[in-house]
Amino acid sequence: MDTGLWHSALWTAGPQAGEILDLWRLTLAVCLLVFLAVLAALAFALRRSGRATRETPAELGGLAVPEAGPRRAVAWALSISAVLLGALLVQSVATDRALAALPLQGALHVEVTGHQWWWAVHYDDPDPSRTFDTANELHLPVGRPVVLTLRSADVIHSLWIPSLAGKKDLIPGRTATLVLRADRPGAYRATCAEFCGWQHAWMALPVIVESQAGFDEWASTQRQPAKTPTDTLALQGRRIVLGGDCVMCHRIAGTEAGARSGPDLTHLAGRATLAAGALPNDPAHLAAWITDPSAHKPGVAMPAHAFKPDELHAVVAYLQSLQ
Ligand code: CUA
């Protein structure tokens, strides 16, 4: 599925990814230089060894007796290698320090929990009434530092938003922190960067960076409980969802569905994708996903649902009403 989301460590949109890109460029330049030097030395040695074999007496096995020249060349090669490796070491320590030095005044705090294979997202706030939950989509205000607290609910995952920051592992039983700032509005793609099972490749997290006003508007919508629909079809769907097994795993704020082992569905219709970036969020894909999730994401925990066509239609109508 082409999501149109930016996903490149070479196209950075924040200082953290920028620092890492600078280090990557230096590493690339040094390695390229070393590679070319090794090739040049190899060509030189091949030419010399041909000459040496011709010129050295056979009783010496055709091997050249070492002279002062090659020994000096070896000393030079060792010194240059040490200097280059030293430069890379210094630069990587400097990068590490720069990454840790991001000013965090007024930071937004978000908890991200990795599950096989989706992301739970909790927006923190000193005022408990302003916290909220969502899933599989991260919204960030542009220019504001963000502290991501990372956890795992099952196995080791790793969060990587290439355009914004480096990778950070999510380890069961531990808490990790990733700080970043997005300086360019846009839609980015984060992925899980640690093999975590069958659907590791489909554990994506769209990251939407928008103006503070746009973010505030989005956040205030997310804080609202789900609206009860007014049209008959969606109301019928609501009865089916709340009376069936959906509520065993999912939460829909404002209803009796409060489970958290699956993604929060309170504002599902506002998200661009389903199943952690695996499918576009439209009625046809939603119906296909509910009917047989394993057909689209083999190994997924969500079971298949054998709804009658009119029931499925109603369930989709209700989920589509969760704006
Ligand atoms: Cu989660 Cu790979």
Side-chain angles (χ1 to χ4, degrees):
M1 176 185 146
D2 177 25
T3 52
L5 303 173
W6 275 107
H7 187 81
S8 169
L10 301 180
W11 193 92
T12 62
Q16 304 298 82
E19 296 284 354
I20 294 169
L21 179 59
D22 288 345
L23 177 62
W24 181 82
R25 283 193 182 120
L26 180 73
T27 310
L28 179 70
V30 167
C31 292
L32 201 63
L33 216 69
V34 170
F35 179 62
L36 292 176
V38 168
L39 283 189
L42 181 66
F44 178 72
L46 285 175
R47 272 190 55 196
R48 264 187 76 95
S49 81
R51 219 183 306 151
T53 315
R54 279 194 302 278
E55 290 168 3
T56 316
E59 55 269 34
L60 284 176
L63 293 172
V65 180
E67 300 156 24
R71 254 179 290 164
R72 224 176 308 144
V74 167
W76 269 107
L78 282 176
S79 323
I80 293 171
S81 303
V83 168
L84 290 177
L85 287 175
L88 284 183
L89 178 70
V90 167
Q91 190 55 38
S92 61
V93 170
T95 302
D96 218 29
R97 291 179 74 100
L99 292 180
L102 185 78
L104 295 177
Q105 292 95 322
L108 176 70
H109 287 258
V110 186
E111 287 171 29
V112 177
T113 306
H115 295 253
Q116 281 176 315
W117 296 277
W118 61 279
W119 305 91
V121 181
H122 173 81
Y123 283 75
D124 240 330
D125 200 284
D127 173 358
S129 71
R130 290 174 58 80
T131 65
F132 61 90
D133 289 277
T134 181
N136 294 332
E137 205 166 285
L138 188 62
H139 285 242
L140 304 175
V142 71
R144 184 167 161 198
V146 181
V147 179
L148 296 173
T149 302
L150 308 176
R151 292 194 181 89
S152 168
D154 36 47
V155 299
I156 302 176
H157 303 276
S158 180
L159 178 67
W160 189 29
I161 320 171
S163 300
L164 297 179
K167 297 171 188 171
K168 192 72 148 201
D169 281 2
L170 288 71
I171 296 172
R174 292 198 187 193
T175 302
T177 307
L178 180 67
V179 297
L180 58 88
R181 196 182 70 217
D183 286 343
R184 219 184 305 211
Y188 306 91
R189 187 176 191 268
T191 45
C192 180
E194 179 72 48
F195 182 71
C196 57
W198 204 346
Q199 292 300 325
H200 157 70
W202 280 119
M203 191 169 162
L205 179 69
V207 180
I208 316 298
V209 176
E210 53 201 339
S211 65
Q212 183 68 50
F215 171 79
D216 288 342
E217 198 185 319
W218 173 81
S220 80
T221 305
Q222 299 295 310
R223 279 184 204 106
Q224 304 300 316
K227 285 195 187 78
T228 305
T230 45
D231 79 275
T232 333
L233 186 66
L235 268 175
Q236 187 204 340
R238 185 178 189 272
R239 274 194 300 275
I240 297 169
V241 166
L242 298 183
D245 61 0
C246 306
V247 297
M248 307 292 280
C249 299
H250 295 284
R251 171 177 177 268
I252 303 173
T255 73
E256 52 269 47
R260 288 177 186 272
S261 54
D264 190 295
L265 301 180
T266 309
H267 297 287
L268 172 72
R271 307 206 280 259
T273 68
L274 297 170
L279 299 170
N281 189 3
D282 58 42
H285 284 98
L286 189 53
W289 173 254
I290 294 165
T291 307
D292 191 3
S294 292
H296 304 277
K297 216 168 161 176
V300 73
M302 180 159 148
H305 291 83
F307 287 125
K308 294 191 196 86
D310 59 322
E311 287 176 342
L312 182 63
H313 197 49
V315 167
V316 170
Y318 173 56
L319 294 176
Q320 288 267 299
S321 79
L322 297 174
Q323 288 290 337

